[in-house]
Amino acid sequence: MDSAQKTIGREAECSGIGMFRGESTSLHFKPSPLNSGISFVRVDLPNRPRVRAHVHSLSSNYKRIFLKNNEAEVESVEHLMAALAGLGIDNIEIEINGREVPAGDGSAKLFLEVLKKAGTVELGGKKKGFIVKTPIMVSSGDASVMAVPCEKGLIFSYTLDFNGSFIERQTYDIEITEENFCRDIAPARTFGLSTYIEEFKRLGLGKGVTDDNSIIVHEDGKMTKPISMKPAKLRFPDEFVRHKILDLVGDLYLANVVIQGRIVANRSGHSLNVQLAEKIAQNA
Ligand SMILES: [Zn+2]
């Protein structure tokens, strides 16, 4: 990754419905100065509160992780954060007129397209970096994610394994460069296991799930669109493990540093991912 901090070249916008609440929101991206970081501004709330996209803003409820500053909350940020990480954008203000970031097609494509169109510009100072010198690990049950040293760059290795049910074991290794991220990771879409979908519905979430933004995997391994239940076509044979890396890239970017290291993950999800991001932020 290059070393100069970046922002976007000009303002840009996108909108859509959030996957969990089904409410429509718009994002307005604005260039931001050196060392200002990444922040959301809730323009629909009195006094337009700012919510920093940083591990210090993390909060959770009913298995959902979100960013919070007092009463202002922003959720479903991970695919947008991944797009910002992939493009090396460290400074940006994102006005949002609701609580949830739009889902787009369930991947990072929507954000990548709009941010690429806005272009990036280098700012005067250097990026904040973090070189992994000793292993940092978090785990829970049989899931784990760790950062270990590597000579250069940022490499992700992910193993997706549901013990033989749902999806056959998938592993994926990739060095995150802008080119690799845009081509191999960003288009991978959200998926859900049929059993989790029921739990989501009970919690009143998943109201914005459509045939165009997610894939359901059934216990027998069949993949369908979530509403019509028509067969779903994948973008990559191993789209699911790629999506897990997309989430991990976005979650770790909440540490607000460029990591030099290898991230080795086994079955990890958002809650473990952000625990590793917190540890990296503490060490950085
Ligand atoms: Zn995701």
Side-chain angles (χ1 to χ4, degrees), residues 19 78-79 106-107 188-191 243-244 246-248 270:
M19 195 169 298
E78 57 271 13
H79 305 157
S107 76
R189 291 163 298 170
T190 303
F191 68 98
H243 186 81
K244 296 301 272 184
L246 175 66
D247 285 340
L248 187 48
H270 292 303

Side-chain angles (χ1 to χ4, degrees), residues 263-280:
I263 309 297
V264 184
N266 200 344
R267 307 167 177 227
S268 76
H270 292 303
S271 90
L272 270 190
N273 297 349
V274 300
Q275 283 179 44
L276 181 64
E278 278 167 348
K279 288 204 168 185
I280 287 171

Side-chain angles (χ1 to χ4, degrees), residues 111-277:
F111 311 118
L112 213 55
E113 279 166 9
V114 73
L115 292 168
K116 270 189 165 178
K117 221 183 251 178
T120 55
V121 289
E122 293 191 352
L123 300 166
K126 278 196 159 187
K127 284 183 185 298
K128 289 166 196 145
F130 174 67
I131 299 172
V132 181
K133 293 198 172 126
T134 52
I136 306 171
M137 180 168 168
V138 291
S139 64
S140 169
D142 52 12
S144 64
V145 57
M146 59 182 164
V148 296
C150 83
E151 269 176 35
K152 67 175 183 68
L154 172 61
I155 297 167
F156 283 80
S157 307
Y158 196 103
T159 302
L160 182 74
D161 190 348
F162 296 107
N163 288 330
S165 59
F166 295 100
I167 303 164
E168 270 184 52
R169 194 169 184 271
Q170 297 183 351
T171 58
Y172 200 76
D173 276 89
I174 187 169
E175 180 178 1
I176 299 293
T177 60
E178 183 175 326
E179 193 188 351
N180 291 352
F181 174 82
C182 294
R183 186 190 55 227
D184 300 328
I185 300 297
R189 291 163 298 170
T190 303
F191 68 98
L193 304 183
S194 53
T195 46
Y196 291 170
I197 303 290
E198 292 308 314
E199 192 184 342
F200 257 38
K201 281 183 186 161
R202 271 203 306 278
L203 294 170
L205 297 168
K207 288 177 184 152
V209 169
T210 70
D211 276 357
D212 299 319
N213 67 17
S214 39
I215 299 163
I216 292 194
V217 186
H218 300 268
E219 225 150 344
D220 58 4
K222 273 199 192 107
M223 288 160 283
T224 66
K225 292 172 185 273
I227 309 297
S228 67
M229 294 293 170
K230 286 182 182 159
K233 273 192 206 127
L234 297 183
R235 291 178 178 170
F236 307 99
D238 50 4
E239 184 166 357
F240 303 133
V241 69
R242 292 177 193 237
H243 186 81
K244 296 301 272 184
I245 293 179
L246 175 66
D247 285 340
L248 187 48
V249 169
D251 288 334
L252 291 188
Y253 204 44
L254 291 171
N256 289 186
V257 290
V258 177
I259 302 163
Q260 181 191 313
R262 177 186 282 272
I263 309 297
V264 184
N266 200 344
R267 307 167 177 227
S268 76
H270 292 303
S271 90
L272 270 190
N273 297 349
V274 300
Q275 283 179 44
L276 181 64

